[in-house]
């Protein structure tokens, strides 16, 4: 049966990734989406998840639900990032398999790779070195998620696929300055600094770390593509293949927002991993590549922010 006609459960459909995936599935004509808010279904609650799968029996599951956050949130709430993610993914992957789903897509993260991995980072560098301490709790949970997918495939032949998206951004992101990732945080900081007429904007860390940013609509398109074209045991990196320093990103966002002042680097805040660029050879050879250019993607996200997120 084609994915268009299948009953598809998108776990985490209100989040940045999940909401983009829902839009992409709807654009592809998928009309049988199963969606639950966290108030309706707490994915950390095994008994509730079990009842949900027994009642709805989805055929395809996209696991985009997770406890996520930027460098400070990751560092401040280790239990939430480790326990909640282990619970969510274990309940959903197990429930999917036992109630007859034929396919599951699990979304991981580029922070699963070692802090000093070779750059760009191929999927094969998983578990070859120590993790970045600011996000090791989240990374360990996501690594366990990949291994669960591989274990269910190996033991039961369940078609569970793990994707590793790089740093995501786009409409529906979290713009809270304490818990967000760098890109939405800087959009808000520059926007507010411009409105107040401030002379400077504070950027955390040294500005030298390099990150790769993928628009969430590109991620959603990759999910749809891999849902239809990949059944492998190995995880697949999802990125653009290009990175930028945080200092350069800040300058670009300042330009897009139209802020005229200076940048000040607060080096009391952590830098995190020095560089995080995915090797996207596997994804390219499967026939998919990112399309949304960074400047255009940030400009569109800024428009969304000014219209929706204040
Ligand atoms: O996006 P971010 O919070 O997370 O930070 P990571 C990226 C870089 O931007 C770090 C710097 O070097 C930050 O110090 N930065 C500068 C800022 N200004 C700001 C700011 O105002 N807010 C924030 N948040 N950062 C996360 C992981 O790592 O990446 C997660 O913690 C996840 O586990 C996610 O994997 C994709 O890229 O360092």
């Amino acid at each position: 049966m084609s994915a268009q006609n299948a009953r598809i459960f998108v776990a985490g459909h209100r989040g940045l990734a999940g909401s983009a995936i829902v839009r992409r599935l709807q654009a592809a004509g998928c009309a049988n989406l199963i969606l639950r808010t966290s108030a309706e279904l707490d994915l950390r609650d095994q008994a509730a998840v079990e009842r949900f799968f027994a009642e709805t029996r989805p055929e395809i599951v996209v696991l985009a639900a997770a406890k996520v956050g930027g460098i400070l949130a990751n560092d401040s709430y280790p239990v939430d990032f480790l326990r909640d993610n282990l619970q969510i993914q274990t309940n959903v992957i197990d429930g999917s398999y036992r109630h007859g789903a034929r396919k599951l897509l699990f979304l991981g993260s580029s922070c699963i790779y070692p802090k000093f991995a070779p750059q760009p980072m191929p999927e094969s560098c998983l578990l070859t070195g120590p993790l970045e301490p600011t996000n090791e709790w989240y990374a360990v949970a996501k690594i366990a998620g990949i291994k669960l997918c591989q274990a269910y495939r190996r033991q039961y032949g369940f078609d569970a696929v793990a994707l590793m998206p790089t740093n995501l951004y786009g409409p529906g992101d979290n713009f809270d300055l304490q818990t967000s990732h760098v890109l939405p945080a800087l959009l808000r900081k520059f926007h507010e600094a411009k409105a107040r007429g401030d002379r400077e904007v504070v950027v955390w860390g040294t500005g030298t770390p390099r990150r790769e940013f993928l628009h969430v609509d590109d991620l959603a398109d990759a999910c749809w593509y891999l849902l239809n074209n990949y059944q492998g045991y190995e995880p697949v990196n999802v990125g653009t293949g290009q990175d930028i320093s945080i200092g350069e990103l800040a300058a670009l966002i300042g330009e897009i927002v139209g802020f005229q002042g200076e940048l000040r680097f607060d080096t009391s805040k952590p830098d995190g991993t020095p560089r995080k660029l995915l090797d996207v050879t596997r994804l390219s050879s499967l026939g998919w590549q990112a399309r949304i250019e960074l400047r255009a993607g940030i400009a569109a996200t800024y428009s969304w922010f000014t219209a929706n997120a204040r």
Side-chain angles (χ1 to χ4, degrees):
M1 190 206 276
S2 78
Q4 270 98 348
N5 301 321
R7 288 191 308 281
I8 308 180
F9 172 42
V10 181
H13 75 285
R14 287 222 178 137
L16 173 65
S19 57
I21 291 165
V22 166
R23 292 194 297 276
R24 183 64 187 89
L25 294 174
Q26 286 170 337
C30 301
N32 264 326
L33 300 185
I34 303 169
L35 308 172
R36 294 289 185 276
T37 63
S38 52
E40 289 163 347
L41 175 63
D42 182 348
L43 294 171
R44 298 167 302 181
D45 178 344
Q46 189 189 6
V49 174
E50 169 64 22
R51 277 195 303 276
F52 163 78
F53 276 103
E55 277 162 23
T56 59
R57 298 183 65 85
E59 296 159 280
I60 296 176
V61 174
V62 182
L63 178 41
K67 170 79 182 168
V68 298
I71 192 164
L72 193 63
N74 266 266
D75 211 18
S76 311
Y77 307 108
V79 174
D80 298 0
F81 279 82
L82 182 56
R83 181 204 53 202
D84 288 11
N85 285 314
L86 286 172
Q87 290 175 329
I88 292 169
Q89 66 204 28
T90 305
N91 294 341
V92 172
I93 294 170
D94 185 62
S96 302
Y97 164 67
R98 280 187 308 96
H99 292 284
R102 65 178 158 86
K103 183 160 198 109
L104 178 138
L105 274 194
F106 168 69
L107 270 61
S109 164
S110 59
C111 71
I112 56 159
Y113 296 120
K115 174 168 183 157
F116 298 112
Q119 302 289 329
M121 306 181 289
E123 291 87 350
S124 58
C125 71
L126 181 64
L127 294 173
T128 56
L131 298 165
E132 154 61 30
T134 54
N135 60 32
E136 63 180 335
W137 320 99
Y138 181 70
V140 164
K142 289 293 184 180
I143 292 169
I146 298 172
K147 291 294 162 193
L148 260 188
C149 290
Q150 293 182 331
Y152 276 84
R153 182 180 293 277
R154 185 165 153 178
Q155 190 170 337
Y156 300 121
F158 179 38
D159 185 9
V161 162
L163 311 188
M164 296 306 118
T166 195
N167 290 33
L168 301 172
Y169 72 97
D173 209 341
N174 167 18
F175 288 84
D176 175 83
L177 291 181
Q178 293 308 308
T179 57
S180 66
H181 290 98
V182 61
L183 198 152
L186 292 182
L187 273 175
R188 175 182 283 276
K189 283 184 183 176
F190 280 103
H191 178 77
E192 292 180 350
K194 183 183 169 192
R196 286 192 302 256
D198 293 354
R199 289 217 206 114
E200 63 173 28
V201 160
V202 175
V203 179
W204 294 352
T206 59
T208 57
R210 300 185 67 84
R211 294 289 184 273
E212 175 187 19
F213 296 97
L214 179 73
H215 192 284
V216 73
D217 289 346
D218 268 341
L219 169 77
D221 192 59
C223 288
W224 175 243
Y225 187 82
L226 293 173
L227 201 55
N228 292 295
N229 295 288
Y230 184 69
Q231 288 94 29
Y233 176 84
E234 298 297 337
V236 181
N237 287 342
V238 185
T240 63
Q242 287 173 355
D243 65 355
I244 179 173
S245 77
I246 297 302
E248 289 163 341
L249 176 76
L252 176 61
I253 293 179
E255 218 180 290
I256 290 167
V257 172
F259 173 73
Q260 307 287 346
E262 305 288 317
L263 303 181
R264 183 161 64 82
F265 292 96
D266 175 1
T267 52
S268 71
K269 292 286 196 303
D271 268 346
T273 300
R275 193 172 182 204
K276 206 162 36 165
L277 175 64
L278 291 176
D279 181 332
V280 289
T281 307
R282 180 170 290 156
L283 182 61
S284 310
S285 64
L286 288 166
W288 188 92
Q289 64 183 42
R291 281 191 216 119
I292 303 174
E293 191 260 327
L294 185 60
R295 177 184 288 269
I298 295 176
T301 305
Y302 182 48
S303 301
W304 185 90
F305 171 73
T306 53
N308 296 282
R310 277 173 300 139

